Amino acid sequence: MKIFLSFLILMMLCSCGAKEKEVPLSDDTAEAQTEPEEEIVPEQEEKPAFDIDISEVSQTVAYAQILDMASNPDNYKGKSVRMRGTFFYYYDQAKDIAYYTCAVQDATLCCAQGIEFELAEDKVYPDDYPAENAIFTVSGIFDTYQETTEAAGNVYTFEYCILRDAVIE
Amino acid sequence: MIDKLMMYLQFPFVRYALIVGVLIALCSSLLGVTLVLKRYSFIGDGLSHVAFGAMSIATVMHLSDDMFLVLPVTILSAVLLLRNGQNAKIKGDAMIAMISVGALAFGYLLVNLFSSSANISGDVCSTLFGSTSILTLRSSEVWLCVILSIIILALYVFFYHKIFAVTFDENFADATGTSAKRYNLLIAVIIAVIIVLAINLVGSLLISALVIFPALSAMRIFHSFKSVTIFSAVFSVIASLLGLIASILAGTPVGSTIVAADVLGFLLCMLIGKMVRRKAV
């Protein structure tokens, strides 16, 4: 009996949410004559701005996502990425190449994972870049490139991740 | 907060972490009751340190998948620790301590001497404390975990009565035709598999929490083996889920957040147990 009553109350509560039936206006009412019909335009879903946006997620998840991108880069090539992290600059004198990186630390702060970025337009360091170790947001298209290094008579080729056509926000 | 959580659930590695976390918590809590009652609470710690040592060797040997070395070595250690049961020459706690610290020390030494990693301290820290390991699982690893968890659950349910007998009195179990050695071996193999899987969730140093806290929390409130086991499983799953979600939302280390949830749950159960006993009196 209790179960039946509970079920009945549940059904009644569900029906409270039901919309009232709209009574259609007849043709000869004043409102129908004066208000023009509005054209109904279906709402278009807003496309997300970036394929991967980790600029506003927790450090734990951001680190995990970047680690996944570094471990499985083929899954992310060509995708737009937006991330927030710490700016690092490194200049390799031997190769005469400057590297600009956005890095995120994990929750225990003992590990960091970053992605290099290449600005879309010709920018000059340090004027057009953040200060060293500053927190900043950067977006770009994920890609990889290979670089060869010689050490102890051996030649090593490494694949690096990079955000191309990057924009600093 | 729900919207935020739904946003995080769009990341596949977050979904993988939740699935694996729940399964590992469930499996570890079931065996945890047996281990706590057999006074082997710290075996999780011991075996996880052995697994760490095996992982170090696998790293130095540049093995593509360390599971090929870690799982057999951990199972072998679990068999050595548990197979002899109550009649071992070196008792449980001393044996666990010996194997545990030895494996941890050798593992760290090997990694420092021979590893080519750019960040040895970071790798070791991540393995020991499980900061984000659970969030870096591949789909193949998730499937492996699901399959192993199903096997463990099936074995536990199928051999429940034998495990019950061996937990409380091995000599009586032997006398009534249940081979205590065989079931100790089964428990050893199952716990080794769970430990290897659980390293990804909470790290090597905190694994004992997954084994101990659910069982002890259940024992504050319930007193029969069946009810303790069931409550322990429910407790472990809820605490792990809450810990995982909290760490994802707040950006805290996963392992320690789950253990913190376990500790809070234990304190709550202790309180409830005291209230229930006071009411009974």
Side-chain angles (χ1 to χ4, degrees), chain A residues 53-54 56-61 63-65 67 106-108 110-111, chain B residues 7-8 11 13 119 122 125 131-132 135-136 247-249 251-253:
Chain A
D53 189 347
I54 49 172
E56 290 172 14
V57 300
S58 67
Q59 206 170 351
T60 303
V61 171
Y63 177 87
Q65 175 66 73
L67 189 62
D106 76 339
T108 53
C110 67
C111 302
Chain B
M7 187 261 291
Y8 281 113
F11 292 96
F13 54 83
N119 183 13
C125 179
S131 58
T132 45
L135 290 164
T136 58
S247 76
I248 286 167
L249 292 174
T252 54

Side-chain angles (χ1 to χ4, degrees), chain A residues 1-66:
Chain A
M1 185 61 181
K2 277 185 192 174
I3 294 168
F4 173 74
L5 281 173
S6 307
F7 178 74
L8 204 60
I9 292 164
L10 188 67
M11 292 307 292
M12 284 161 67
L13 283 169
C14 289
S15 68
C16 288
K19 285 183 185 173
E20 286 178 9
K21 272 189 184 175
E22 285 182 15
V23 178
L25 294 169
S26 56
D27 287 340
D28 56 355
T29 56
E31 283 139 44
Q33 285 168 1
T34 53
E35 280 183 14
E37 278 185 20
E38 284 181 17
E39 203 179 305
I40 298 167
V41 177
E43 279 182 24
Q44 287 180 356
E45 280 183 18
E46 282 183 25
K47 277 190 181 173
F50 302 95
D51 296 317
I52 295 149
D53 189 347
I54 49 172
S55 59
E56 290 172 14
V57 300
S58 67
Q59 206 170 351
T60 303
V61 171
Y63 177 87
Q65 175 66 73
I66 296 169

Side-chain angles (χ1 to χ4, degrees), chain A residues 55-127:
Chain A
S55 59
E56 290 172 14
V57 300
S58 67
Q59 206 170 351
T60 303
V61 171
Y63 177 87
Q65 175 66 73
I66 296 169
L67 189 62
D68 192 49
M69 288 160 75
S71 306
N72 305 296
D74 291 336
N75 296 344
Y76 298 94
K77 276 185 187 172
K79 291 195 175 175
S80 57
V81 175
R82 184 174 180 232
M83 59 185 289
R84 185 171 173 78
T86 310
F87 175 72
F88 290 102
Y89 164 77
Y90 172 68
Y91 176 68
D92 189 333
Q93 282 186 326
K95 295 179 190 174
D96 190 26
I97 300 174
Y99 300 94
Y100 311 98
T101 309
C102 179
V104 173
Q105 284 185 302
D106 76 339
T108 53
L109 305 178
C110 67
C111 302
Q113 196 69 37
I115 301 179
E116 202 186 322
F117 64 91
E118 180 185 75
L119 293 184
E121 297 157 10
D122 284 334
K123 298 284 183 186
V124 177
Y125 180 80
D127 300 330

Side-chain angles (χ1 to χ4, degrees), chain B residues 171-185:
Chain B
N171 294 327
F172 178 76
D174 269 330
T176 52
T178 300
S179 169
K181 259 189 178 174
R182 192 186 301 168
Y183 288 100
N184 273 331
L185 176 62

Side-chain angles (χ1 to χ4, degrees), chain B:
Chain B
M1 199 175 84
I2 301 290
D3 290 336
K4 214 173 179 183
L5 187 60
M6 295 309 292
M7 187 261 291
Y8 281 113
L9 285 174
Q10 289 175 22
F11 292 96
F13 54 83
V14 171
R15 294 195 298 272
Y16 294 161
L18 290 172
I19 292 167
V20 170
V22 164
L23 289 173
I24 291 171
L26 179 62
C27 294
S28 59
S29 63
L30 292 177
L31 267 298
V33 177
T34 297
L35 292 175
V36 166
L37 290 170
K38 284 168 78 70
R39 302 288 189 264
Y40 275 110
S41 300
F42 252 90
I43 199 166
D45 221 45
L47 290 177
S48 67
H49 292 176
V50 167
F52 172 80
M55 269 185 208
S56 306
I57 296 171
T59 305
V60 166
M61 288 167 64
H62 301 291
L63 290 180
S64 56
D65 191 349
D66 57 13
M67 202 62 96
F68 292 121
L69 185 65
V70 174
L71 204 50
V73 168
T74 311
I75 289 173
L76 188 64
S77 305
V79 168
L80 281 171
L81 285 170
L82 281 176
R83 193 175 177 197
N84 292 325
Q86 296 166 351
N87 302 318
K89 284 182 185 168
I90 302 176
K91 296 297 177 195
D93 57 345
M95 187 71 130
I96 290 170
M98 250 172 51
I99 291 177
S100 168
V101 295
L104 191 62
F106 272 112
Y108 193 58
L109 191 62
L110 283 172
V111 159
N112 266 275
L113 288 176
F114 301 110
S115 178
S116 56
S117 168
N119 183 13
I120 293 170
S121 301
D123 292 342
V124 168
C125 179
S126 183
T127 306
L128 289 177
F129 291 100
S131 58
T132 45
S133 305
I134 192 70
L135 290 164
T136 58
L137 297 174
R138 295 187 298 267
S139 61
S140 57
E141 288 169 325
V142 176
W143 276 113
L144 177 66
C145 182
V146 168
I147 290 165
L148 287 173
S149 299
I150 290 171
I151 292 171
I152 288 167
L153 287 169
L155 283 172
Y156 190 85
V157 168
F158 195 69
F159 292 112
Y160 172 79
H161 293 289
K162 309 289 186 191
I163 291 171
F164 173 83
V166 165
T167 300
F168 285 100
D169 194 336
E170 287 181 12
N171 294 327
F172 178 76
D174 269 330
T176 52
T178 300
S179 169
K181 259 189 178 174
R182 192 186 301 168
Y183 288 100
N184 273 331
L185 176 62
L186 177 68
I187 292 168
V189 170
I190 293 174
I191 199 68
V193 171
I194 291 169
I195 293 300
V196 170
L197 295 176
I199 286 177
N200 280 324
L201 181 61
V202 293
S204 290
L205 290 183
L206 301 173
I207 273 178
S208 290
L210 283 187
V211 171
I212 297 168
F213 277 107
L216 290 178
S217 303
M219 286 174 196
R220 299 306 101 197
I221 302 171
F222 299 101
H223 303 287
S224 76
F225 187 77
K226 200 176 207 175
S227 48
V228 163
T229 305
I230 293 169
F231 185 83
S232 171
V234 171
F235 175 95
S236 187
V237 166
I238 292 172
S240 294
L241 260 179
L242 289 175
L244 256 171
I245 291 168
S247 76
I248 286 167
L249 292 174
T252 54
V254 175
S256 43
T257 312
I258 290 174
V259 173
D262 276 327
V263 172
L264 289 173
F266 171 75
L267 293 172
L268 184 65
C269 289
M270 216 167 69
L271 201 66
I272 292 170
K274 279 188 177 164
M275 281 163 57
V276 165
R277 275 193 295 276
R278 205 174 284 174
K279 226 178 181 179
V281 166

